[in-house]
Structures are given as C-alpha cells and as structure tokens.
Amino acid sequence: MSTKISKLTDNDEEQKRHTKLTLETAPAWLFAFVVIATTYEVIARYLFMAPTVWANELSLYVCAIGYVYAGIYSMKHDRHLRITIAYDLAGPKVRLFFDIVQFASIIIFCAALCLYGFNEAWEALTSWERYGTAFNAPIPATIKPFIVICGAVMALYATRNFILKLAAFKAARTEGGNNADA
C-alpha cells in the first residue's frame, strides 16, 4: 500500500514539475500565447471588421521558436522519434547498432544545418533581415541564427545521449558477462 502512495506522490511531483514555468517548459507555453493572439485576430477581423497586421506574423514567429526549441527539449530528454517497436524488441547489440545509426544521422543532420545555415543566419542577423510585410518583423534575423544555435545544442545533447547509452551498454555487458548478446 505504501508503494502505491509513494508512486502517486511521485507522479504528483512529476506533474507539478512539468507544469511549472521554467526555461525548459516556457516554449510550450508560447503556443497558448498563439491561441490568444489568433483568437484576438479572429474577433477583431470578423466581429469588428478591423483585422490586425501583426497577429499572423507574431503567430508564425512564436510557433517557429516553439517548434525549433521542441527539438532541443526532445533531444535533452531522449524522447525523439524512433520506431519503438523495433527498438524495444531488439537485443542490446541491435539496440546499440540502432543507437549508432541514430547518432550518426543526427550528427550529420545537425552538422549540415550548422555548416550550411551559418552564413545565411549570419547575413540575416548582421543585416537585420525583416519579413517584408506590413508588420515587417525581424523574424528571419532572429529565427535563422536560433535554428543554427539549436542545431548545435541538439548535436551536443545527441552526443551526451549516445555516450550515456554506450556506457550503459558497457556496464550491462561487464555486469552480465557475455549475456548482453541476447
């Protein structure tokens, strides 16, 4: 009975931790802001016949930040997309192979993103490139460098995750002898 209570308490604490506004969870709350801005735009446009020039671009901007940051969040918690049925059914050696392929793919993608995106991001930042519409927000000037920075951070988290998985594989192998082949 006490283990059930402790599990409930742990789940409550976990829920509280996820709902607190932190640097890690703040981008998720940006989508609530987009809902408010979009609702305001719909009311202003269709009820008062006074559309805004900023709501659409602001929504694009805020969503772009949230989408890009979601990659970092997923990578930090090692919760990115994978074919879990194949991964869960595989033995430790096959899982290690999947992890190697995954790590190599992520590093290649992030390296290409950083290498080929850096010059364009730098140009957008130094020239303070704007969106080119009526509101003319500096979306490209800030989002392009943000994408490059997030790509680098994702590569660092992928490296950390791979090192942790490799260490766990080696520990399981030395702990269980050569039974890690199963």
Side-chain angles (χ1 to χ4, degrees):
M1 184 76 162
S2 65
T3 56
K4 287 183 180 179
I5 293 172
S6 67
K7 285 183 180 180
L8 286 174
T9 309
D10 290 344
N11 287 341
D12 290 342
E13 289 300 316
E14 182 80 9
Q15 186 65 29
K16 287 178 187 173
R17 186 175 63 81
H18 284 298
T19 56
K20 283 189 344 190
L21 184 63
T22 63
L23 182 62
E24 188 174 80
T25 61
W29 291 99
L30 291 175
F31 294 107
F33 179 73
V34 170
V35 169
I36 293 167
T38 304
T39 303
Y40 178 83
E41 167 66 18
V42 168
I43 291 170
R45 177 180 298 258
Y46 296 108
L47 204 59
F48 299 111
M49 303 304 173
T52 65
V53 294
W54 54 266
N56 182 44
E57 288 179 44
L58 185 65
S59 296
L60 290 170
Y61 186 55
V62 172
C63 284
I65 292 169
Y67 295 149
V68 173
Y69 193 81
I72 291 177
Y73 182 87
S74 298
M75 195 61 64
K76 178 180 182 189
H77 295 283
D78 198 20
R79 305 242 185 233
H80 47 86
L81 294 175
R82 75 166 53 111
I83 303 170
T84 54
I85 192 163
Y87 191 82
D88 291 345
L89 291 175
K93 283 188 175 181
V94 176
R95 281 187 183 188
L96 181 63
F97 174 75
F98 286 159
D99 291 336
I100 291 168
V101 170
Q102 169 192 325
F103 175 66
S105 300
I106 292 169
I107 292 299
I108 290 168
F109 171 77
C110 290
L113 181 71
C114 292
L115 289 172
Y116 296 109
F118 178 79
N119 289 337
E120 190 169 336
W122 183 253
E123 176 73 28
L125 182 64
T126 55
S127 67
W128 203 245
E129 183 180 342
R130 295 186 167 272
Y131 203 59
T133 59
F135 187 52
N136 207 20
I139 295 173
T142 52
I143 291 296
K144 287 179 181 181
F146 187 65
I147 290 171
V148 172
I149 291 167
C150 287
V153 173
M154 285 175 61
L156 291 174
Y157 276 130
T159 303
R160 182 202 68 166
N161 292 344
F162 182 69
I163 290 170
L164 291 174
K165 288 177 184 178
L166 195 58
F169 176 78
K170 287 181 181 179
R173 193 169 173 135
T174 58
E175 185 178 291
N178 288 332
N179 288 342
D181 297 334

